[in-house]
Amino acid sequence: DAGVTQSPTHLIKTRGQHVTLRCSPISGHKSVSWYQQVLGQGPQFIFQYYEKEERGRGNFPDRFSARQFPNYSSELNVNALLLGDSALYLCASRSRGRLAGVQETQYFGPGTRLLVL
Amino acid sequence: GEDVEQSLFLSVREGDSSVINCTYTDSSSTYLYWYKQEPGAGLQLLTYIFSNMDMKQDQRLTVLLNKKDKHLSLRIADTQTGDSAIYFCAERMDSSYKLIFGSGTRLLVRP
């Protein structure tokens, strides 16, 4: 079975531009989360989507947006790029939608490495 | 508050055991995870433990949880050079979908 896939693998943009990152979850997974990992730090939560609805949002500005499609794939959009947006963007898919009392694990894709010049 | 802390670096000799430590602050955490990240790669889930457990063993990996002290550890037995990587501890609260990660511990295995 294919794991979580992300595209593109690498991307170079300049300040002020817009970027769209894509993620396909593991087959059968309905929940997708996005994380930003700046060099030398742990991943920071950006968004979580389940069944095409936003279910959680981290402490990121409105320049960051996302959506989930009927096939459960997802896009992360970042407008007006800043140098500080340079990072590895990770997508994770999760096997279950409910929280309480249900075993669940999140599986991460290889990430998209974004460099903003 | 939400905060996960890890030591930055650990160096061990091949064949020895490695112990990577983590402390977290939120007592309502329900799941605690260990992820491995190799250079230029994404995160690989190694193991997880539910908060009502004290210990979990999975082949060479042993996870210990001290809920009173909010301390989590990952022991890798017979550490190999292929275990060299960054190891992240993460917590998930019962009321949230998100994972809170530590800053990672870089493990270097010397031959």
Side-chain angles (χ1 to χ4, degrees):
Chain A
D1 283 342
V4 179
T5 58
Q6 293 186 243
S7 63
T9 56
H10 296 81
L11 204 51
I12 300 175
K13 292 284 189 178
T14 56
R15 281 178 296 176
Q17 285 190 310
H18 162 270
V19 69
T20 298
L21 309 180
R22 295 177 175 83
C23 170
S24 292
I26 292 171
S27 177
H29 287 194
K30 299 181 179 180
S31 174
V32 168
S33 297
W34 288 94
Y35 290 80
Q36 180 197 63
Q37 186 181 16
V38 173
L39 192 64
Q41 297 181 20
Q44 298 289 316
F45 173 77
I46 310 175
F47 284 110
Q48 197 261 346
Y49 276 78
Y50 175 68
E51 289 281 17
K52 295 164 287 189
E53 290 187 5
E54 181 182 306
R55 295 300 183 92
R57 184 186 181 114
N59 189 22
F60 281 80
D62 291 343
R63 299 185 297 108
F64 288 77
S65 64
R67 56 180 177 168
Q68 188 177 29
F69 299 99
N71 66 354
Y72 304 111
S73 67
S74 178
E75 282 183 356
L76 175 69
N77 296 284
V78 188
N79 293 323
L81 284 166
L82 303 174
L83 296 181
D85 295 331
S86 295
L88 179 67
Y89 288 85
L90 295 162
C91 174
S93 76
R94 183 158 58 90
S95 57
R96 301 294 183 103
R98 297 189 180 277
L99 291 176
V102 176
Q103 175 180 307
E104 65 102 75
T105 52
Q106 294 197 36
Y107 297 92
F108 283 81
T112 293
R113 193 164 297 278
L114 172 66
L115 177 61
V116 182
L117 300 176
Chain B
E2 303 170 348
D3 198 12
V4 177
E5 293 191 358
Q6 301 178 237
S7 52
L8 289 180
F9 184 73
L10 176 66
S11 177
V12 300
R13 195 182 303 273
E14 188 176 16
D16 288 350
S17 292
S18 306
V19 179
I20 302 171
N21 295 300
C22 168
T23 58
Y24 60 98
T25 55
D26 199 308
S27 57
S28 63
S29 293
T30 51
Y31 290 96
L32 295 134
Y33 302 83
W34 285 104
Y35 284 88
K36 176 184 179 183
Q37 187 174 40
E38 297 183 72
L43 298 175
Q44 175 193 353
L45 176 67
L46 289 178
T47 187
Y48 63 93
I49 190 167
F50 190 51
S51 59
N52 67 356
M53 299 168 64
D54 298 324
M55 185 184 84
K56 181 178 180 182
Q57 188 155 2
D58 185 1
Q59 299 181 339
R60 291 191 299 123
L61 304 178
T62 303
V63 179
L64 295 178
L65 175 61
N66 181 329
K67 199 170 180 181
K68 173 177 172 289
D69 294 337
K70 300 189 183 68
H71 182 265
L72 182 73
S73 68
L74 174 69
R75 178 176 180 270
I76 305 173
D78 187 25
T79 313
Q80 303 297 307
T81 55
D83 295 324
S84 291
I86 300 176
Y87 290 80
F88 290 95
C89 165
E91 63 174 341
R92 178 171 79 72
M93 283 71 78
D94 191 38
S95 60
S96 171
Y97 294 92
K98 68 180 180 182
L99 296 179
I100 309 296
F101 285 86
S103 55
T105 299
R106 182 177 295 275
L107 173 65
L108 176 65
V109 183
R110 309 186 308 274

